[in-house]
Amino acid sequence: MDRGLVAAYLRDGGALLLPSSMSAIMGAVGAEKQGTIGAVQRMIQNLGIAIYTSVAAAIVPAHSVAGTDGLMAGIRQMWNLTAGSILLCIVVFLCFRPRRK
C-alpha cells in the first residue's frame, strides 16, 4: 500500500473520529469538569499512541529480517491488531453503554 494512501487514511480517520468523540465526551459532563475530562481524554489518547508504537516497534522489525515481504507481513500484522482492537472497543461500548429509557 502506498505511504500517501496510508497517511490519508490516518489523517481522514482522525479528522472524522476525534471531533465527534470529543464533543460527545465534553457534552456528557458539566462545564466545571471539562478541563479534567479533557486532560483524562488526552492522557488516554497519548497512552494508546505509546502502547501501539512500542508494540509496532517490537513486531515490525522481527519480520523485517525476511526482507520486503517480511516487512509487509509485519505491517499487515499491525493493521490486523489495530482492527481487532477497534472491534473489541466497539463490542465493549455496545455491551456497556447506558440504556435509554
Side-chain angles (χ1 to χ4, degrees), residues 60-78:
V60 173
H63 289 286
S64 66
V65 296
T68 304
D69 290 336
L71 183 61
M72 292 308 294
I75 292 171
R76 269 193 301 277
Q77 188 175 2
M78 281 308 304

Side-chain angles (χ1 to χ4, degrees), residues 45-69:
Q45 186 177 13
N46 288 337
L47 184 61
I49 290 168
I51 289 170
Y52 273 94
T53 300
S54 64
V55 169
I59 290 176
V60 173
H63 289 286
S64 66
V65 296
T68 304
D69 290 336

Side-chain angles (χ1 to χ4, degrees), residues 2-98:
D2 182 27
R3 286 186 196 178
L5 188 57
V6 171
Y9 283 141
L10 295 175
R11 178 194 67 225
D12 296 342
L16 291 172
L17 179 68
L18 291 177
S20 60
S21 65
M22 200 60 192
S23 176
I25 291 168
M26 290 302 186
V29 297
E32 69 281 353
K33 298 213 180 218
Q34 285 191 356
T36 303
I37 295 300
V40 169
Q41 188 268 343
R42 190 66 174 159
M43 180 194 67
I44 291 170
Q45 186 177 13
N46 288 337
L47 184 61
I49 290 168
I51 289 170
Y52 273 94
T53 300
S54 64
V55 169
I59 290 176
V60 173
H63 289 286
S64 66
V65 296
T68 304
D69 290 336
L71 183 61
M72 292 308 294
I75 292 171
R76 269 193 301 277
Q77 188 175 2
M78 281 308 304
W79 278 109
N80 291 336
L81 180 65
T82 302
S85 298
I86 292 170
L87 183 62
L88 177 66
C89 289
I90 290 171
V91 168
V92 168
F93 170 76
L94 292 175
C95 290
F96 293 105
R97 68 180 174 174

